C-alpha cells in the first residue's frame, strides 16, 4: 500500500482516488416487489429507502437475509439501509387468507353436529370452542368452492352455497329442517268428519295443502285448506281428497 520515489530533481505526481461501489441484492419470496428510492450501484454511506409492494391478494410479511438486521423501520411502510458494503436482503410476501363462517339453526335454535363440506375439507358445527351451530374455515385469496351442509334426518336451505373468488371474510348461514319421511291421513272420509294429516317424524317441517279431485287423476288445491286438519264439507261428498 506504499510507493517510493528517488528525488534527483523536482518532480510532480497526481494521486487519483475513486469511490468504491456496492450492490444491494433484494430477493423476493411470494408475489410482490420492492421499490427503492435510489438505484445502484451505491457509494459509501448512501442511504437507500425500500418500499415493499404486495401484489393483489398478498401481504408483505417481513425481511430476512444476511443484512436484514441493518434495516431501519421508518414506521411508514418503508425501511432504510446504509450502504457501506454490498448487501443482500430477502422480502417475503404471503398469500392472504380469509375466514368463511356461519350459523346453522333449526326452529331458530343452534344445531350442533352438522357437517359443513367445502371441497378441500370439512368442519362440524359445535366443535369446541364454538357454540352449537357455529362453523368456520379458512381459505386462500381467490378461493372458489361450494359449501354444503349435511346431517342425517335434516334438509337444509339453501341446499348449498357456491362462493368465490373469495377476496374478504364471508358469512354463510343455513337453516335446517327435520326431514319428512312419511305422511298418513287419519279420519273417516264422510261429510262433516275431520281428516288429520300425520307426519313422520313428529316435528318434521311441512307446508300443508289439501287437494281435491273428481277423477283421482287431476287434483286442485282447496282454497284455505292449509292446516294439518280438514273438515269435509257437503259439496265434497263423492270426490277424492
Amino acid at each position: 500500500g506504499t510507493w517510493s520515489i528517488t528525488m534527483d530533481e523536482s518532480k510532480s505526481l497526481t494521486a487519483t482516488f475513486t469511490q468504491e461501489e456496492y450492490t444491494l441484492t433484494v430477493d423476493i419470496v411470494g408475489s410482490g416487489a420492492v421499490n427503492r428510492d435510489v438505484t445502484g450501484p451505491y457509494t459509501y454511506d448512501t442511504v437507500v429507502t425500500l418500499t415493499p409492494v404486495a401484489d393483489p391478494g398478498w401481504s408483505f410479511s417481513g425481511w430476512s437475509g444476511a443484512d436484514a438486521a441493518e434495516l431501519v423501520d421508518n414506521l411508514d411502510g418503508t425501511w432504510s439501509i446504509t450502504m457501506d458494503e454490498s448487501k443482500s436482503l430477502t422480502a417475503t410476501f404471503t398469500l392472504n387468507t380469509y375466514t368463511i363462517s356461519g350459523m346453522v339453526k333449526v326452529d331458530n335454535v343452534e344445531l350442533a353436529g352438522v357437517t359443513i363440506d367445502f371441497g378441500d375439507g370439512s368442519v362440524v358445527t359445535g366443535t369446541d370452542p364454538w357454540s352449537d351451530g357455529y362453523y368456520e374455515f379458512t381459505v386462500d385469496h381467490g378461493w372458489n368452492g361450494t359449501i354444503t351442509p349435511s346431517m342425517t334426518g335434516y334438509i337444509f336451505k339453501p341446499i348449498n352455497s357456491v362462493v368465490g373468488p373469495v377476496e374478504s371474510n364471508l358469512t354463510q348461514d343455513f337453516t335446517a329442517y327435520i326431514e319428512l319421511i312419511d305422511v298418513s291421513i287419519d279420519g273417516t272420509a264422510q261429510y262433516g268428519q275431520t281428516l288429520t294429516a300425520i307426519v313422520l317424524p313428529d316435528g318434521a317441517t311441512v307446508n300443508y295443502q289439501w287437494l281435491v279431485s273428481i277423477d283421482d287423476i287431476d287434483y286442485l288445491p282447496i282454497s284455505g285448506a292449509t292446516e294439518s286438519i280438514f273438515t269435509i264439507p257437503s259439496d265434497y261428498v263423492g270426490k277424492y281428497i
Side-chain angles (χ1 to χ4, degrees):
T2 65
W3 286 261
S4 299
I5 190 170
T6 301
M7 296 300 296
D8 52 9
E9 61 179 324
S10 294
K11 297 182 179 182
S12 177
L13 299 171
T14 299
T16 300
F17 296 86
T18 56
Q19 283 190 300
E20 292 183 351
E21 292 183 334
Y22 309 116
T23 59
L24 175 59
T25 302
V26 179
D27 294 322
I28 303 295
V29 175
S31 188
V34 174
N35 297 331
R36 54 184 84 185
D37 67 335
V38 182
T39 58
Y42 306 100
T43 55
Y44 185 82
D45 243 12
T46 299
V47 177
V48 184
T49 300
L50 305 174
T51 306
V53 180
D55 286 345
W58 293 73
S59 296
F60 175 69
S61 59
W63 297 99
S64 60
D67 301 294
E70 298 186 34
L71 285 163
V72 177
D73 189 348
N74 299 320
L75 303 178
D76 60 359
T78 68
W79 283 259
S80 297
I81 190 166
T82 300
M83 298 301 296
D84 50 14
E85 62 180 333
S86 291
K87 297 185 178 182
S88 177
L89 301 169
T90 298
T92 299
F93 298 86
T94 54
L95 187 62
N96 293 341
T97 60
Y98 307 106
T99 298
I100 298 178
S101 61
M103 190 71 69
V104 181
K105 293 183 179 182
V106 56
D107 291 332
N108 210 34
V109 176
E110 294 184 18
L111 180 61
V114 178
T115 298
I116 305 294
D117 185 275
F118 54 95
D120 298 326
S122 63
V123 294
V124 178
T125 60
T127 300
D128 186 58
W130 301 338
S131 63
D132 283 349
Y134 182 79
Y135 75 91
E136 70 175 45
F137 57 91
T138 301
V139 298
D140 290 336
H141 176 88
W143 182 82
N144 294 272
T146 302
I147 308 170
T148 305
S150 64
M151 185 176 184
T152 301
Y154 292 87
I155 57 176
F156 298 87
K157 289 186 179 180
I159 297 174
N160 56 43
S161 177
V162 179
V163 299
V166 176
E167 298 179 349
S168 62
N169 294 333
L170 296 178
T171 299
Q172 176 61 64
D173 296 332
F174 294 93
T175 301
Y177 300 90
I178 299 175
E179 186 174 15
L180 178 66
I181 297 176
D182 189 29
V183 179
S184 59
I185 305 298
D186 182 50
T188 303
Q190 294 179 352
Y191 161 64
Q193 296 296 310
T194 298
L195 303 177
T196 302
I198 302 173
V199 299
L200 184 68
D202 184 32
T205 302
V206 296
N207 293 317
Y208 294 97
Q209 176 62 70
W210 293 86
L211 307 175
V212 65
S213 173
I214 60 175
D215 56 10
D216 199 23
I217 297 175
D218 296 318
Y219 281 82
L220 296 174
I222 300 172
S223 178
T226 55
E227 302 294 335
S228 61
I229 60 174
F230 176 69
T231 301
I232 303 173
S234 60
D235 56 342
Y236 279 41
V237 173
K239 298 180 180 178
Y240 297 92
I241 298 174

